[in-house]
Amino acid sequence: MPRKRLDKELWAERRIQVWERDSRKCTRCKIDITIDRCHIDHIKSGLLGTNKLENLRTLCSRCHVLRADIRHQGMIAKALQQGIIEVGWRNHVWEDETR
């Protein structure tokens, strides 16, 4: 997450823009995904991140959780509990090729 958040209305619009630009698919595994189920991921997050379109991409919840990013660690327990990822999840973690 970048240091400055967009307000709710602007973020809702940005989500739709990114999702439509990405053909309503997860950019990692290519599955079709609805707007209410997609995750909009910051390619670069933290202090280096922005909310610009070129820094955002659509991911499914599984790909988002399994992305190798220290900021995503809090999602793992919940994803395990919900069955989004399985116990051997570490074998499926992926590095971002754009870094």
Side-chain angles (χ1 to χ4, degrees), residues 7-55:
D7 68 33
K8 259 186 175 177
E9 294 80 23
L10 287 175
W11 181 247
E13 290 174 21
R14 185 63 46 94
R15 278 179 53 82
I16 293 169
Q17 288 175 318
V18 173
W19 176 69
E20 288 179 342
R21 180 205 61 203
D22 294 341
S23 302
R24 302 176 179 186
K25 295 181 183 294
C26 173
T27 57
R28 174 90 177 138
C29 70
K30 308 299 184 209
I31 65 164
D32 291 324
I33 190 163
T34 60
I35 187 66
D36 60 313
R37 305 281 300 179
C38 76
H39 288 224
I40 303 302
D41 179 50
H42 290 84
I43 297 166
K44 288 188 179 179
S45 55
L47 295 177
L48 300 176
T50 70
N51 288 309
K52 292 182 179 178
L53 287 173
E54 57 271 9
N55 189 47

Side-chain angles (χ1 to χ4, degrees), residues 50-75:
T50 70
N51 288 309
K52 292 182 179 178
L53 287 173
E54 57 271 9
N55 189 47
L56 301 171
R57 62 180 162 202
T58 304
L59 294 177
C60 67
S61 57
R62 185 172 195 278
C63 289
H64 196 203
V65 170
L66 292 174
R67 179 176 167 217
D69 186 333
I70 193 71
R71 294 170 191 89
H72 293 184
Q73 294 299 313
M75 296 188 289

